[in-house]
Coordinates of all heavy atoms in Angstrom, one line a residue:
M1 N -4.9 102.7 -70.1 CA -6.2 103.3 -70.3 C -6.6 104.1 -69.1 O -6.3 103.6 -68.0 CB -7.2 102.2 -70.6 CG -7.0 101.3 -71.8 SD -7.1 102.0 -73.4 CE -8.7 102.6 -73.5
T2 N -7.2 105.2 -69.3 CA -7.7 106.0 -68.2 C -9.2 106.3 -68.5 O -9.6 106.2 -69.6 CB -7.0 107.3 -68.0 OG1 -7.1 108.1 -69.3 CG2 -5.5 107.1 -67.7
S3 N -9.9 106.5 -67.4 CA -11.3 106.8 -67.6 C -11.7 107.9 -66.6 O -10.8 108.4 -65.9 CB -12.2 105.6 -67.2 OG -12.1 105.3 -65.8
G4 N -12.9 108.3 -66.7 CA -13.4 109.3 -65.7 C -13.4 108.7 -64.3 O -13.2 107.5 -64.1
S5 N -13.7 109.5 -63.3 CA -13.8 109.1 -62.0 C -15.2 108.7 -61.6 O -16.2 109.1 -62.3 CB -13.3 110.1 -61.0 OG -14.0 111.3 -61.1
Y6 N -15.3 107.8 -60.6 CA -16.6 107.3 -60.2 C -16.9 107.7 -58.8 O -15.9 107.7 -58.0 CB -16.7 105.8 -60.4 CG -16.6 105.4 -61.8 CD1 -15.4 105.0 -62.4 CD2 -17.7 105.3 -62.6 CE1 -15.3 104.6 -63.7 CE2 -17.6 105.0 -64.0 CZ -16.4 104.6 -64.5 OH -16.3 104.2 -65.8
L7 N -18.1 108.0 -58.4 CA -18.4 108.4 -57.1 C -18.7 107.2 -56.2 O -18.5 107.3 -54.9 CB -19.7 109.3 -57.0 CG -19.6 110.6 -57.8 CD1 -20.9 111.3 -57.8 CD2 -18.5 111.4 -57.1
T8 N -19.1 106.0 -56.7 CA -19.3 104.8 -55.9 C -18.6 103.6 -56.5 O -18.3 103.6 -57.7 CB -20.8 104.5 -55.8 OG1 -21.3 104.1 -57.1 CG2 -21.6 105.7 -55.3
E9 N -18.3 102.6 -55.7 CA -17.7 101.4 -56.2 C -18.6 100.7 -57.2 O -18.2 100.1 -58.2 CB -17.4 100.5 -55.0 CG -16.7 99.2 -55.4 CD -16.3 98.3 -54.3 OE1 -16.4 98.8 -53.1 OE2 -15.9 97.2 -54.5
L10 N -19.9 100.7 -56.9 CA -20.9 100.1 -57.8 C -20.8 100.7 -59.2 O -20.8 100.0 -60.2 CB -22.3 100.2 -57.3 CG -23.4 99.6 -58.1 CD1 -23.2 98.1 -58.3 CD2 -24.8 99.9 -57.5
N11 N -20.8 102.1 -59.3 CA -20.7 102.7 -60.6 C -19.4 102.4 -61.3 O -19.3 102.2 -62.5 CB -20.9 104.2 -60.4 CG -22.3 104.6 -60.2 OD1 -23.2 103.9 -60.4 ND2 -22.5 105.8 -59.7
C12 N -18.3 102.2 -60.5 CA -17.0 101.9 -61.1 C -17.1 100.5 -61.7 O -16.7 100.2 -62.8 CB -16.0 101.9 -60.0 SG -14.3 101.4 -60.6
K13 N -17.7 99.5 -61.0 CA -17.9 98.2 -61.5 C -18.7 98.1 -62.8 O -18.4 97.4 -63.7 CB -18.4 97.3 -60.4 CG -17.4 97.0 -59.3 CD -18.0 96.1 -58.3 CE -16.9 95.8 -57.2 NZ -17.4 94.9 -56.2
K14 N -19.8 98.9 -62.8 CA -20.6 99.0 -64.0 C -19.8 99.6 -65.2 O -20.0 99.1 -66.3 CB -21.8 99.9 -63.7 CG -22.9 99.3 -62.8 CD -24.1 100.2 -62.6 CE -25.1 99.7 -61.7 NZ -26.2 100.6 -61.5
G15 N -19.0 100.6 -64.9 CA -18.1 101.1 -65.9 C -17.2 100.1 -66.5 O -16.9 100.1 -67.7
I16 N -16.6 99.3 -65.6 CA -15.7 98.2 -66.1 C -16.4 97.2 -67.0 O -15.9 96.8 -68.0 CB -15.0 97.5 -64.9 CG1 -14.1 98.5 -64.2 CG2 -14.3 96.3 -65.3 CD1 -13.6 98.0 -62.8
E17 N -17.6 96.9 -66.6 CA -18.4 95.9 -67.4 C -18.8 96.5 -68.7 O -18.7 95.9 -69.8 CB -19.6 95.4 -66.6 CG -19.3 94.6 -65.4 CD -18.5 93.3 -65.8 OE1 -18.8 92.7 -66.8 OE2 -17.5 93.1 -65.1
R18 N -19.1 97.8 -68.7 CA -19.5 98.5 -70.0 C -18.2 98.5 -70.9 O -18.3 98.3 -72.1 CB -20.0 99.9 -69.7 CG -20.7 100.5 -70.8 CD -21.5 101.8 -70.4 NE -20.6 102.8 -70.0 CZ -20.5 103.4 -68.8 NH1 -21.4 103.0 -67.9 NH2 -19.7 104.3 -68.5
F19 N -17.1 98.8 -70.3 CA -15.8 98.8 -71.0 C -15.6 97.5 -71.7 O -15.2 97.4 -72.9 CB -14.7 99.2 -70.1 CG -13.3 99.2 -70.8 CD1 -12.8 100.3 -71.4 CD2 -12.5 98.0 -70.8 CE1 -11.6 100.3 -72.0 CE2 -11.3 98.0 -71.4 CZ -10.8 99.2 -72.1
K20 N -15.7 96.4 -71.0 CA -15.5 95.1 -71.5 C -16.4 94.8 -72.7 O -16.0 94.2 -73.7 CB -15.7 94.0 -70.5 CG -14.6 94.0 -69.4 CD -15.0 92.9 -68.4 CE -14.1 93.0 -67.2 NZ -14.6 91.9 -66.2
I21 N -17.7 95.2 -72.6 CA -18.6 95.0 -73.7 C -18.2 95.8 -74.9 O -18.1 95.2 -76.0 CB -20.0 95.3 -73.2 CG1 -20.5 94.4 -72.2 CG2 -21.0 95.4 -74.4 CD1 -21.8 94.8 -71.4
Y22 N -18.0 97.1 -74.8 CA -17.6 97.9 -76.0 C -16.3 97.6 -76.5 O -16.1 97.7 -77.7 CB -17.7 99.4 -75.6 CG -19.1 99.9 -75.5 CD1 -19.7 100.3 -74.3 CD2 -20.0 99.9 -76.6 CE1 -21.0 100.7 -74.2 CE2 -21.3 100.4 -76.5 CZ -21.8 100.8 -75.3 OH -23.1 101.2 -75.2
A23 N -15.4 97.1 -75.7 CA -14.0 96.7 -76.2 C -14.0 95.6 -77.2 O -13.0 95.3 -77.9 CB -13.1 96.5 -75.0
Q24 N -15.1 94.8 -77.2 CA -15.2 93.7 -78.2 C -15.7 94.1 -79.5 O -15.8 93.3 -80.4 CB -16.1 92.6 -77.5 CG -15.5 92.0 -76.3 CD -16.3 91.0 -75.7 OE1 -16.9 90.1 -76.4 NE2 -16.4 91.0 -74.3
H25 N -16.0 95.4 -79.7 CA -16.5 95.9 -81.0 C -15.4 96.8 -81.6 O -15.1 97.9 -81.1 CB -17.8 96.6 -80.8 CG -18.8 95.8 -80.2 ND1 -19.6 94.9 -81.0 CD2 -19.3 95.6 -78.9 CE1 -20.4 94.2 -80.2 NE2 -20.3 94.7 -78.9
H26 N -14.9 96.4 -82.7 CA -13.8 97.2 -83.4 C -14.2 98.6 -83.7 O -13.4 99.5 -83.6 CB -13.3 96.4 -84.6 CG -12.1 97.1 -85.2 ND1 -10.9 97.0 -84.6 CD2 -11.9 97.8 -86.3 CE1 -10.0 97.6 -85.3 NE2 -10.6 98.2 -86.4
N27 N -15.5 98.8 -84.1 CA -16.0 100.1 -84.5 C -16.1 101.1 -83.3 O -16.5 102.2 -83.5 CB -17.2 100.0 -85.3 CG -18.4 99.5 -84.5 OD1 -18.2 98.8 -83.5 ND2 -19.6 99.7 -85.0
K28 N -15.9 100.6 -82.1 CA -16.0 101.5 -80.9 C -14.6 102.1 -80.6 O -14.5 103.0 -79.7 CB -16.5 100.8 -79.7 CG -17.9 100.2 -79.9 CD -18.9 101.3 -80.2 CE -20.3 100.8 -80.4 NZ -21.3 101.8 -80.8
F29 N -13.6 101.7 -81.3 CA -12.2 102.2 -81.0 C -12.0 103.4 -82.1 O -12.2 103.2 -83.3 CB -11.2 101.2 -81.2 CG -11.1 100.2 -80.1 CD1 -11.9 99.0 -80.2 CD2 -10.3 100.4 -79.0 CE1 -11.8 98.1 -79.1 CE2 -10.3 99.5 -78.0 CZ -11.0 98.3 -78.0
Y30 N -11.5 104.5 -81.6 CA -11.2 105.6 -82.5 C -9.8 105.9 -82.4 O -9.3 106.2 -81.3 CB -12.1 106.8 -82.1 CG -13.6 106.6 -82.3 CD1 -14.3 105.9 -81.4 CD2 -14.1 107.0 -83.5 CE1 -15.7 105.6 -81.7 CE2 -15.5 106.8 -83.8 CZ -16.2 106.1 -82.9 OH -17.6 105.8 -83.1
K31 N -9.1 105.9 -83.5 CA -7.6 106.1 -83.5 C -7.4 107.6 -83.8 O -8.0 108.1 -84.7 CB -7.0 105.2 -84.6 CG -7.2 103.7 -84.4 CD -6.7 103.0 -85.6 CE -7.0 101.5 -85.5 NZ -6.4 100.7 -86.6
R32 N -6.4 108.1 -83.1 CA -6.1 109.6 -83.3 C -4.6 109.8 -83.2 O -3.9 109.0 -82.7 CB -6.8 110.4 -82.2 CG -8.3 110.4 -82.2 CD -8.8 111.1 -83.5 NE -10.3 111.1 -83.6 CZ -11.0 110.3 -84.3 NH1 -10.5 109.4 -85.0 NH2 -12.3 110.5 -84.3
T33 N -4.2 111.0 -83.6 CA -2.8 111.4 -83.5 C -2.8 112.8 -82.9 O -3.6 113.7 -83.3 CB -2.2 111.5 -84.9 OG1 -2.3 110.3 -85.6 CG2 -0.7 111.9 -84.8
S34 N -2.0 113.0 -81.9 CA -1.9 114.3 -81.2 C -1.1 115.3 -82.0 O -0.5 114.9 -83.0 CB -1.3 114.1 -79.8 OG 0.0 113.7 -79.9
S35 N -1.1 116.5 -81.5 CA -0.4 117.6 -82.3 C 1.1 117.4 -82.2 O 1.8 117.9 -83.1 CB -0.7 118.9 -81.7 OG -0.4 119.0 -80.3
N36 N 1.6 116.6 -81.3 CA 3.1 116.3 -81.2 C 3.4 114.9 -81.7 O 4.4 114.3 -81.3 CB 3.6 116.5 -79.8 CG 3.0 115.6 -78.8 OD1 2.0 114.9 -79.0 ND2 3.6 115.5 -77.6
W37 N 2.5 114.4 -82.6 CA 2.7 113.1 -83.3 C 2.8 111.9 -82.4 O 3.5 110.9 -82.6 CB 3.9 113.1 -84.2 CG 3.7 114.1 -85.3 CD1 4.1 115.4 -85.4 CD2 2.8 113.9 -86.5 NE1 3.7 116.0 -86.6 CE2 2.8 115.1 -87.2 CE3 2.1 112.8 -86.9 CZ2 2.1 115.3 -88.4 CZ3 1.4 113.0 -88.1 CH2 1.4 114.2 -88.8
Q38 N 2.0 111.9 -81.3 CA 1.8 110.7 -80.5 C 0.5 110.1 -80.9 O -0.4 110.8 -81.3 CB 1.7 111.1 -79.0 CG 3.0 111.7 -78.4 CD 4.0 110.6 -78.2 OE1 3.8 109.7 -77.5 NE2 5.2 110.7 -78.9
F39 N 0.5 108.8 -80.9 CA -0.6 108.1 -81.4 C -1.4 107.5 -80.2 O -0.8 106.9 -79.3 CB -0.2 106.9 -82.4 CG 0.6 107.5 -83.5 CD1 2.0 107.5 -83.4 CD2 0.0 108.0 -84.6 CE1 2.8 108.0 -84.5 CE2 0.8 108.5 -85.7 CZ 2.2 108.5 -85.6
Y40 N -2.7 107.6 -80.2 CA -3.5 107.1 -79.1 C -4.9 106.7 -79.7 O -5.2 106.9 -80.9 CB -3.7 108.2 -78.0 CG -4.5 109.4 -78.4 CD1 -5.8 109.5 -78.1 CD2 -4.0 110.4 -79.2 CE1 -6.6 110.6 -78.4 CE2 -4.7 111.5 -79.6 CZ -6.0 111.6 -79.2 OH -6.8 112.7 -79.6
F41 N -5.7 106.1 -78.8 CA -7.0 105.7 -79.2 C -8.0 105.9 -78.0 O -7.5 106.1 -76.9 CB -7.1 104.3 -79.7 CG -6.7 103.3 -78.6 CD1 -7.7 102.7 -77.9 CD2 -5.4 102.9 -78.5 CE1 -7.3 101.7 -76.9 CE2 -5.0 101.9 -77.5 CZ -6.0 101.3 -76.7
Y42 N -9.2 106.0 -78.3 CA -10.2 106.0 -77.2 C -11.4 105.1 -77.6 O -11.5 104.7 -78.7 CB -10.7 107.4 -76.9 CG -11.3 108.2 -78.0 CD1 -12.7 108.1 -78.3 CD2 -10.5 109.1 -78.8 CE1 -13.2 108.8 -79.3 CE2 -11.1 109.8 -79.8 CZ -12.5 109.7 -80.1 OH -13.0 110.4 -81.1
L43 N -12.1 104.7 -76.6 CA -13.2 103.8 -76.7 C -14.5 104.6 -76.4 O -14.5 105.3 -75.4 CB -13.1 102.6 -75.7 CG -14.1 101.5 -75.8 CD1 -13.9 100.8 -77.1 CD2 -13.9 100.5 -74.7
K44 N -15.4 104.5 -77.3 CA -16.6 105.4 -77.2 C -17.9 104.5 -77.1 O -18.0 103.5 -77.7 CB -16.7 106.2 -78.4 CG -17.8 107.3 -78.3 CD -18.0 108.1 -79.6 CE -17.0 109.2 -79.7 NZ -17.4 110.1 -80.9
A45 N -18.8 104.9 -76.2 CA -20.0 104.2 -76.0 C -21.0 104.5 -77.1 O -20.8 105.5 -77.8 CB -20.6 104.5 -74.6
A46 N -22.1 103.8 -77.1 CA -23.1 104.0 -78.1 C -23.8 105.4 -78.0 O -24.2 106.0 -79.0 CB -24.2 102.9 -78.0
N47 N -23.8 105.9 -76.8 CA -24.4 107.2 -76.5 C -23.4 108.4 -76.9 O -23.7 109.5 -76.7 CB -24.9 107.4 -75.1 CG -23.8 107.3 -74.1 OD1 -22.6 107.2 -74.4 ND2 -24.2 107.3 -72.8
G48 N -22.2 108.0 -77.4 CA -21.3 109.0 -77.8 C -20.3 109.5 -76.7 O -19.3 110.2 -77.0
H49 N -20.4 109.0 -75.5 CA -19.5 109.3 -74.4 C -18.2 108.5 -74.5 O -18.3 107.3 -74.8 CB -20.1 109.1 -73.1 CG -21.2 110.1 -72.7 ND1 -22.5 109.7 -72.7 CD2 -21.2 111.4 -72.5 CE1 -23.3 110.8 -72.4 NE2 -22.5 111.8 -72.3
I50 N -17.1 109.2 -74.3 CA -15.8 108.5 -74.3 C -15.7 107.7 -73.0 O -15.8 108.3 -71.9 CB -14.7 109.5 -74.5 CG1 -14.7 110.1 -75.9 CG2 -13.3 108.8 -74.3 CD1 -13.7 111.2 -76.1
I51 N -15.5 106.4 -73.1 CA -15.4 105.6 -71.9 C -13.9 105.6 -71.4 O -13.7 105.6 -70.1 CB -15.8 104.1 -72.2 CG1 -17.2 104.1 -72.7 CG2 -15.5 103.2 -71.1 CD1 -17.7 102.7 -73.2
S52 N -13.0 105.5 -72.3 CA -11.6 105.4 -71.8 C -10.6 105.9 -72.9 O -11.0 105.8 -74.1 CB -11.3 104.0 -71.5 OG -10.0 103.8 -70.9
I53 N -9.5 106.4 -72.5 CA -8.5 107.0 -73.4 C -7.2 106.2 -73.2 O -6.8 106.1 -72.0 CB -8.3 108.5 -73.3 CG1 -9.6 109.2 -73.5 CG2 -7.2 109.0 -74.2 CD1 -9.6 110.7 -73.2
S54 N -6.5 105.9 -74.2 CA -5.2 105.2 -74.1 C -4.1 106.1 -73.7 O -4.2 107.3 -73.9 CB -4.8 104.4 -75.4 OG -4.3 105.3 -76.3
K55 N -3.0 105.5 -73.3 CA -1.7 106.3 -73.2 C -1.2 106.6 -74.6 O -1.6 106.0 -75.5 CB -0.7 105.5 -72.4 CG -0.2 104.3 -73.1 CD 0.9 103.6 -72.3 CE 1.5 102.5 -73.2 NZ 2.9 102.6 -73.2
P56 N -0.3 107.6 -74.7 CA 0.3 107.9 -76.0 C 1.2 106.8 -76.4 O 1.9 106.2 -75.6 CB 1.0 109.2 -75.8 CG 0.8 109.6 -74.4 CD 0.1 108.5 -73.7
H57 N 1.3 106.5 -77.7 CA 2.2 105.5 -78.3 C 3.1 106.2 -79.3 O 2.7 107.2 -79.9 CB 1.4 104.4 -79.0 CG 0.5 103.6 -78.0 ND1 1.0 102.5 -77.4 CD2 -0.7 103.8 -77.6 CE1 0.1 102.0 -76.6 NE2 -1.0 102.8 -76.7
D58 N 4.3 105.7 -79.4 CA 5.3 106.3 -80.3 C 5.1 105.9 -81.8 O 5.6 106.6 -82.7 CB 6.7 105.9 -79.9 CG 7.1 106.5 -78.6 OD1 6.6 107.6 -78.3 OD2 7.9 105.8 -77.9
S59 N 4.3 104.9 -82.1 CA 4.0 104.5 -83.5 C 2.6 104.0 -83.6 O 1.9 103.6 -82.7 CB 5.0 103.4 -83.8 OG 4.7 102.2 -83.2
V60 N 2.2 104.0 -84.9 CA 0.9 103.5 -85.3 C 0.8 102.0 -84.9 O -0.2 101.5 -84.4 CB 0.6 103.7 -86.8 CG1 -0.7 103.0 -87.2 CG2 0.5 105.2 -87.0
L61 N 1.9 101.3 -85.2 CA 1.9 99.8 -84.9 C 1.7 99.6 -83.4 O 0.9 98.7 -83.0 CB 3.3 99.2 -85.4 CG 3.4 97.8 -85.1 CD1 2.4 96.9 -85.8 CD2 4.8 97.3 -85.5
S62 N 2.4 100.3 -82.6 CA 2.2 100.2 -81.1 C 0.8 100.4 -80.7 O 0.2 99.7 -79.9 CB 3.2 101.1 -80.4 OG 3.0 101.0 -79.0
R63 N 0.2 101.5 -81.2 CA -1.2 101.8 -80.9 C -2.1 100.7 -81.3 O -3.0 100.3 -80.6 CB -1.6 103.1 -81.5 CG -3.0 103.5 -81.3 CD -3.6 104.6 -82.2 NE -3.5 104.2 -83.6 CZ -3.5 105.0 -84.6 NH1 -3.6 106.3 -84.4 NH2 -3.5 104.6 -85.8
D64 N -1.9 100.2 -82.5 CA -2.8 99.2 -83.1 C -2.6 97.9 -82.3 O -3.6 97.2 -82.1 CB -2.6 99.0 -84.6 CG -3.0 100.2 -85.4 OD1 -3.7 101.1 -84.8 OD2 -2.7 100.2 -86.6
Q65 N -1.4 97.6 -81.9 CA -1.2 96.4 -81.1 C -1.9 96.5 -79.7 O -2.4 95.6 -79.2 CB 0.3 96.1 -80.9 CG 1.0 95.6 -82.1 CD 2.5 95.5 -82.0 OE1 3.1 96.2 -81.2 NE2 3.1 94.7 -82.8
A66 N -1.9 97.7 -79.2 CA -2.5 98.0 -77.9 C -4.0 97.8 -78.0 O -4.7 97.2 -77.1 CB -2.2 99.4 -77.4
I67 N -4.6 98.2 -79.1 CA -6.1 98.0 -79.3 C -6.3 96.5 -79.4 O -7.3 96.0 -78.8 CB -6.5 98.7 -80.6 CG1 -6.5 100.2 -80.4 CG2 -7.9 98.2 -81.0 CD1 -6.7 101.0 -81.7
D68 N -5.5 95.7 -80.1 CA -5.7 94.3 -80.3 C -5.6 93.6 -78.9 O -6.3 92.7 -78.6 CB -4.7 93.7 -81.2 CG -4.9 94.1 -82.7 OD1 -6.1 94.5 -83.0 OD2 -4.0 94.0 -83.5
W69 N -4.6 94.1 -78.1 CA -4.5 93.5 -76.7 C -5.7 93.8 -75.9 O -6.2 92.9 -75.2 CB -3.2 94.1 -76.1 CG -2.9 93.4 -74.8 CD1 -2.2 92.3 -74.6 CD2 -3.4 93.8 -73.5 NE1 -2.2 92.0 -73.2 CE2 -2.9 92.9 -72.5 CE3 -4.2 94.9 -73.1 CZ2 -3.2 93.0 -71.2 CZ3 -4.5 95.0 -71.7 CH2 -4.0 94.1 -70.8
V70 N -6.2 95.0 -75.9 CA -7.4 95.3 -75.1 C -8.6 94.5 -75.5 O -9.3 93.9 -74.7 CB -7.7 96.8 -75.2 CG1 -9.1 97.1 -74.6 CG2 -6.7 97.7 -74.6
K71 N -8.8 94.3 -76.8 CA -9.9 93.5 -77.3 C -9.7 92.0 -76.9 O -10.7 91.4 -76.4 CB -10.0 93.6 -78.8 CG -10.5 94.9 -79.3 CD -10.8 95.0 -80.7 CE -10.0 94.3 -81.7 NZ -10.2 94.7 -83.1
K72 N -8.5 91.5 -77.0 CA -8.2 90.1 -76.6 C -8.4 90.0 -75.1 O -9.1 89.0 -74.7 CB -6.8 89.8 -77.0 CG -6.4 88.3 -76.8 CD -5.1 88.0 -77.3 CE -4.7 86.6 -77.1 NZ -3.3 86.3 -77.6
F73 N -7.9 90.9 -74.3 CA -8.0 90.8 -72.8 C -9.4 90.8 -72.4 O -9.9 90.0 -71.6 CB -7.2 91.9 -72.2 CG -7.3 91.9 -70.7 CD1 -6.4 91.0 -70.0 CD2 -8.1 92.7 -70.0 CE1 -6.5 91.0 -68.6 CE2 -8.2 92.7 -68.6 CZ -7.4 91.8 -67.9
C74 N -10.2 91.7 -73.0 CA -11.6 91.9 -72.6 C -12.5 90.7 -73.0 O -13.4 90.3 -72.3 CB -12.2 93.2 -73.1 SG -11.5 94.6 -72.3
S75 N -12.1 90.1 -74.1 CA -12.9 88.9 -74.5 C -12.7 87.7 -73.6 O -13.6 86.9 -73.4 CB -12.5 88.5 -76.0 OG -11.2 88.0 -76.1
K76 N -11.5 87.6 -73.0 CA -11.2 86.6 -72.0 C -11.9 86.9 -70.7 O -12.1 86.0 -69.9 CB -9.7 86.5 -71.8 CG -9.0 85.9 -73.0 CD -7.5 85.8 -72.6 CE -6.7 85.3 -73.9 NZ -5.3 85.2 -73.6
Q77 N -12.1 88.2 -70.4 CA -12.7 88.6 -69.1 C -14.2 88.5 -69.0 O -14.8 88.6 -68.0 CB -12.3 90.0 -68.7 CG -10.8 90.1 -68.6 CD -10.2 89.3 -67.6 OE1 -10.6 89.2 -66.4 NE2 -9.1 88.6 -67.9
S78 N -14.8 88.3 -70.2 CA -16.3 88.3 -70.2 C -16.9 87.1 -69.8 O -16.4 86.0 -69.8 CB -16.8 88.6 -71.7 OG -16.4 89.9 -72.0

């Protein structure tokens, strides 16, 4: 996952916490396919801003497993 850059460490930490919260909601993940048939997803905040974008995956299954892993990891970190 990649995100935007932060100017301060405090803002970065706030971004991580926001990511953990939104990652626990399935409807915040948006699945997409690139023009060269790579599968990826992004996590979007309630205000419509994209919080983070995944790396490209070779299959839908791989992408969906990555989403499940992110949700599981974030639920343990909360």
